[in-house]
Amino acid sequence: MPREIDASPPPSAHLATLSRMGYSFNAAIADILDNSIAAGSSNIELSLLSYDGKYRLTIADDGCGMTAEHLLKNMVIGCKDPSTERELNDLGRFGAGLKTASFSQARRMTVFSWTHSSSIGAAQWDTDLVKREDRWCLLELSTAEIEIELASLDRPSFGSGTLVCWDGIYSLEEAEDKYGAERIVAALVSDLQSYIGLHFHRFIGSNLCISINGVRLQAIDPFMR
């Protein structure tokens, strides 16, 4: 009888593989917007601004949100069975998009979420920690830690929703100086505005508002009707 061998990949090596899935910056953002739209959001606010000399990207929506327990389950990589029947507006498939998209662009990804009937919960993937420990060590933030994190963020006053935060964005860390980073940010934001306007044109309108750094985006009709 064949001998069974545990062939689970080392977390640090698996993470390195996931981080090289071929996402562009725009495609990674789009994967997160898919989740916001599937959650029934009417407003999605993106921000890419400097904080304490370092750039941070946030994506906040007013969707249905998640309880702390639900959030932790959704932070697991591959948390969805692709054969499970989905809702019509569910643009996700494998439950990996949020994580792999984030791993490809930033060192640390923190997700805050709350519902109309539950308090805010937060969980964090720190890729440096995973590599150092060689374990899939997901961090659940305490109430005090959440308050400290939110103090540095412009949390929208939505009754329910989700806030995704990227720290340690690779493309900005590679900039040689402050002015180089500013030029990269300006180019990223300009390109992202066009990308979202085109790729999400059928969603943007009276039922969905998407903004970047406070500027509301307009839908770009690819058929120029």
Side-chain angles (χ1 to χ4, degrees):
M1 187 173 182
R3 180 168 64 95
E4 184 178 299
I5 299 172
D6 181 4
S8 302
S12 57
H14 192 189
L15 175 62
T17 300
L18 294 176
S19 299
R20 292 168 174 76
M21 293 287 284
Y23 278 97
S24 66
F25 184 80
N26 291 341
I29 298 292
D31 246 5
I32 297 176
L33 295 184
D34 285 348
N35 292 338
S36 295
I37 292 172
S41 303
S42 298
N43 295 280
I44 306 175
E45 300 176 358
L46 294 88
S47 174
L48 179 55
L49 300 170
S50 178
Y51 168 72
D52 279 353
K54 297 182 180 180
Y55 282 92
R56 166 177 282 176
L57 180 135
T58 60
I59 303 174
D61 68 52
D62 63 351
C64 59
M66 295 173 280
T67 63
E69 181 181 5
H70 190 196
L71 170 61
L72 292 177
K73 289 181 179 179
N74 277 278
M75 290 290 277
V76 175
I77 299 168
C79 58
K80 287 184 179 180
D81 182 345
S83 64
T84 301
E85 185 174 352
R86 297 176 293 160
E87 298 293 333
L88 183 62
N89 66 339
D90 187 353
L91 305 180
R93 188 63 172 171
F94 301 100
L98 168 64
K99 281 78 70 175
T100 55
S102 299
F103 293 158
S104 73
Q105 302 298 319
R107 295 184 182 282
R108 187 167 67 248
M109 182 262 288
T110 310
V111 180
F112 306 83
S113 198
W114 61 99
T115 69
H116 287 289
S117 59
S118 69
S119 58
I120 189 166
Q124 182 182 90
W125 279 116
D126 186 328
T127 61
D128 290 335
L129 177 63
V130 172
K131 292 174 183 176
R132 186 169 62 249
E133 298 291 328
D134 202 20
R135 293 185 296 115
W136 288 113
C137 33
L138 175 66
L139 303 176
E140 180 181 14
L141 276 62
S142 66
T143 301
E145 290 167 333
I146 291 174
E147 291 177 356
I148 292 173
E149 287 287 333
L150 290 179
S152 65
L153 298 169
D154 185 18
R155 175 190 170 186
S157 57
F158 299 145
S160 63
T162 299
L163 172 61
V164 178
C165 178
W166 286 355
D167 290 294
I169 300 171
Y170 298 125
S171 58
L172 297 176
E173 286 189 338
E174 295 169 358
E176 295 181 356
D177 54 42
K178 171 186 174 182
Y179 301 104
E182 290 177 351
R183 287 193 294 271
I184 293 173
V185 168
L188 286 175
V189 170
S190 177
D191 194 33
L192 187 60
Q193 289 173 331
S194 299
Y195 185 93
I196 293 175
L198 179 63
H199 285 75
F200 292 91
H201 72 277
R202 69 188 182 96
F203 297 102
I204 297 172
S206 58
N207 295 324
L208 175 63
C209 172
I210 302 179
S211 64
I212 302 178
N213 290 348
V215 178
R216 182 169 181 168
L217 303 187
Q218 300 297 318
I220 300 174
D221 185 352
F223 303 107
M224 301 178 67
R225 286 169 294 199

